[in-house]
Amino acid sequence: MMASAFALAFTSCESEPIEEEEISIKDAAMKGELLVKFAPEVAEVIEANAVMTKAGIPSVDEILSIAGAYEFERVFPVDSRNEDKTREAGLHLWYIVRFDEGRDIEEIGKQLAALGQVSGVEYNHTIKRAYNAEKRAIPFDIASNALVTKSQSSSFNDPLLGYQWNMINTGDLWERGFAPGADAGVKDAWDLSTGDPSVIVAVVDEGIFYDHPDLAASMWHNEGEIFADPNDNDGNGYAGDYYGYNFVKETGQVSYSLSADTGHGSHVAGVIAAQNNNGIGISSIAGGNGSTPGVKVMSCQIFSGNYVASILAEVKAVKYAADNGAVILQCSWGYTSGKADPYDWAPQYSTDEQWMTDCPIEKDALLYFIHNAGSPNGPIEGGIGVFASGNESAAAAGYPGAYGDFVSVIGTAPDFTPAVYTNYGLGANICAPGGDQDYFYDYEKDGHYGEIGCILSTVPYHVSESGYAYMEGSSMATPHVSSALALAISYAAQNHRHLSADEYKEILYSSCTPVDDRLEGPKFYYKYVADLGQNQKKRMELGSFKGKMGAGQLNVAALLRGVKDAGSPMVFPNVFIAPGKSIVYNAGRYFDDVSGLKITVKDQVIAAAAVLGSDITITGFAEGVTTATVSCASGSQEITITVKKSGGNGWL
């Protein structure tokens, strides 16, 4: 079925919406491009073409010939390590077809969709930010602010933690509007874990400022690559992807400093993993403790300045994240809620069926992530996609987050109340601090106005000379949940526990702080009214939000306590390896006490193993299967070692 093509609403800093008419299929589609999913039975015919200027299927090629097709390639490049999974999910069947931009894309799409050899056609529609880009982050001037960390009762020495009510809210930052405990519940969680560098969060957003002094230590590095190198050194289909990849410009050079860049990706990354206890800047939920590293953030860039991004960039980023080790997908964007006020917005998807029908490749890529990220031998099996609910003040979350397999996050103010902009209700799952500048608009203290009710985090220097700024939105609430899940996975790894992605989500929701009993009476705020040219006092009835705030407010400490004994014990994995190759495992991931560590391989003609500290290196020799016994002070486990040459689809 032909997909309609709505613009994607980037749910960043909450601001006045840009009024726009319903976007037509042609207006939203990129000219001269179609995404085509072929039927499985013709996959081999297409792949047999050495030069991808035709499909090799007469009926398809006839249509494309009329369209003036000149380029034909797989949407998802071949990564030999993950090709079997790619094929099992059917993602190898998606192709991008480029042709004469003057041709009628709608008519060509209809003709292709009617063919039996084609199972789906989708427009490569543009992804637009549905907010006023002129309303930027509010810079933070470090020199004129002197709150100290100790005021927040934390052992961390990050000097700006005192301004981070979202981390630790004692209720005394201002005299009004701050409620004790109306935060992410992270203070007690830091006593249990501050993150594990084996846990990777993919930030699908603007590029991350990877050299920021508060972020550099938390950046994911692709050790098989060289930054921005024109060669694909590790064979994953992407050249130079050292910190991640720029899917807008199709380069390993992640960017963040264009004049039109808002700093959003860096701001999100700071909430997740700014380096804790390093004597500078802010604290984060999962940013380690001093020289002890926390979780890592991978930059999957789908927005860049004023350049137009596309659904093609998004789906590539999602699959890349799964294939390169990410287990959490951090997505502070989404389509406009189907219940958004049509006077201010162009409402989009209201049901799962609408979204799945109109965005099949997006659905395929996202489901690939949640089913293929993680490991059956690690602390999480599967992946978790976390999305912003949206900023249209609508009684339903936007898609894709509203789809039941994902987590959709509502933004709250520093007193547990819903932020004035946030979507809530149908499809929304959980609340987290998102900031609420309009709530504090009329209140000034020490030179601050409403911004102190927002979220303080890291940004590039062109956004703020200090490298720190305030933002708000459900997009700021989202990384609180993403990093909380990453911290929970870290804590599970510390305790050698294995859980499924669904188990983590169940504990996430069951550990929330209830908010319904706090939703009484009116909430007054100030909103800019364009017709009057001034901020007008507004009123929202909090009682109307009862039962519509998801499971409640995020509580990171309770989440970690729920994870500690959940799931099942982690076990040393069975090994699959090619002849002449070696693989290293850290036994400390599977045993509490690795003293006396040793491994005995039964058939050393097939494979051999060596121990160095807590690391076990296994080397394949001849094809075959053998067993081995791993033992240490904590006990022993028997594993199977399979040595096999890589198959045609590259399963190794």
Side-chain angles (χ1 to χ4, degrees), residues 366 477 597:
L366 288 168
L597 179 66

Side-chain angles (χ1 to χ4, degrees), residues 403-587:
Y403 189 68
D405 285 347
F406 311 133
V407 178
S408 179
V409 186
I410 302 165
T412 55
D415 61 355
F416 289 107
T417 62
V420 301
Y421 52 77
T422 193
N423 293 349
Y424 59 96
L426 187 66
N429 305 115
I430 187 171
C431 308
D436 200 344
Q437 185 179 3
D438 291 343
Y439 189 24
F440 294 98
Y441 171 80
D442 67 328
Y443 189 62
E444 184 274 338
K445 182 179 179 181
D446 298 334
H448 291 279
Y449 289 87
E451 71 267 22
I452 204 166
C454 299
I455 306 300
L456 182 64
S457 189
T458 48
V459 292
Y461 295 130
H462 77 278
V463 176
S464 172
E465 290 185 2
S466 68
Y468 301 90
Y470 288 107
M471 290 186 179
E472 65 169 6
S474 61
S475 63
M476 290 297 105
T478 306
H480 288 79
V481 175
S482 294
S483 51
L485 286 164
L487 195 64
I489 297 166
S490 301
Y491 191 52
Q494 289 174 217
N495 289 281
H496 312 295
R497 306 302 297 178
H498 170 79
L499 291 81
S500 69
D502 284 342
E503 286 175 313
Y504 279 105
K505 289 192 292 182
E506 289 171 6
I507 299 170
L508 172 72
Y509 300 146
S510 65
S511 63
C512 284
T513 300
V515 297
D516 276 1
D517 59 351
R518 305 171 189 273
L519 302 179
E520 301 285 351
K523 173 177 176 175
F524 293 98
Y525 65 98
Y526 286 79
K527 195 74 173 176
Y528 182 76
V529 180
D531 293 343
L532 300 177
Q534 57 184 323
N535 284 286
Q536 297 292 307
K537 193 171 186 178
K538 299 286 185 177
R539 171 182 177 136
M540 58 194 289
E541 296 298 333
L542 293 176
S544 64
F545 290 85
K546 285 190 174 183
K548 300 176 183 178
M549 298 293 285
Q553 179 105 337
L554 172 69
N555 187 324
V556 183
L559 168 62
L560 265 60
R561 289 192 291 267
V563 162
K564 182 179 180 182
D565 296 315
S568 59
M570 287 173 58
V571 296
F572 201 95
N574 291 322
V575 178
F576 297 85
I577 194 168
K581 299 292 185 180
S582 295
I583 188 167
V584 180
Y585 294 92
N586 185 342

Side-chain angles (χ1 to χ4, degrees), residues 219-354:
M219 290 301 302
W220 170 76
H221 295 160
N222 181 357
E223 299 299 343
E225 265 299 351
I226 301 169
F227 180 53
D229 192 288
N231 301 304
D232 180 14
N233 295 286
D234 63 348
N236 71 347
Y238 296 94
D241 55 318
Y242 187 65
Y243 297 110
Y245 199 75
N246 182 340
F247 293 92
V248 182
K249 304 297 288 182
E250 297 186 359
T251 173
Q253 176 69 64
V254 172
S255 66
Y256 54 80
S257 58
L258 296 177
S259 60
D261 283 334
T262 66
H264 193 275
S266 303
H267 202 273
V268 162
V271 173
I272 298 168
Q275 188 177 4
N276 290 328
N277 208 27
N278 62 345
I280 62 171
I282 62 168
S283 297
S284 68
I285 290 179
N289 185 353
S291 60
T292 301
V295 305
K296 298 297 183 181
V297 287
M298 172 192 292
S299 187
C300 295
Q301 185 175 359
I302 64 168
F303 295 100
S304 179
N306 289 323
Y307 288 101
V308 175
S310 68
I311 195 74
L312 180 63
E314 178 212 330
V315 298
K316 283 187 172 184
V318 169
K319 185 176 185 297
Y320 175 93
D323 289 345
N324 289 278
V327 292
I328 301 295
L329 201 64
Q330 156 58 38
C331 302
S332 283
W333 43 265
Y335 297 98
T336 303
S337 169
K339 289 187 176 292
D341 185 344
Y343 178 79
D344 293 321
W345 306 92
Q348 295 180 285
Y349 305 116
S350 298
T351 67
D352 290 355
E353 290 72 22
Q354 289 176 343

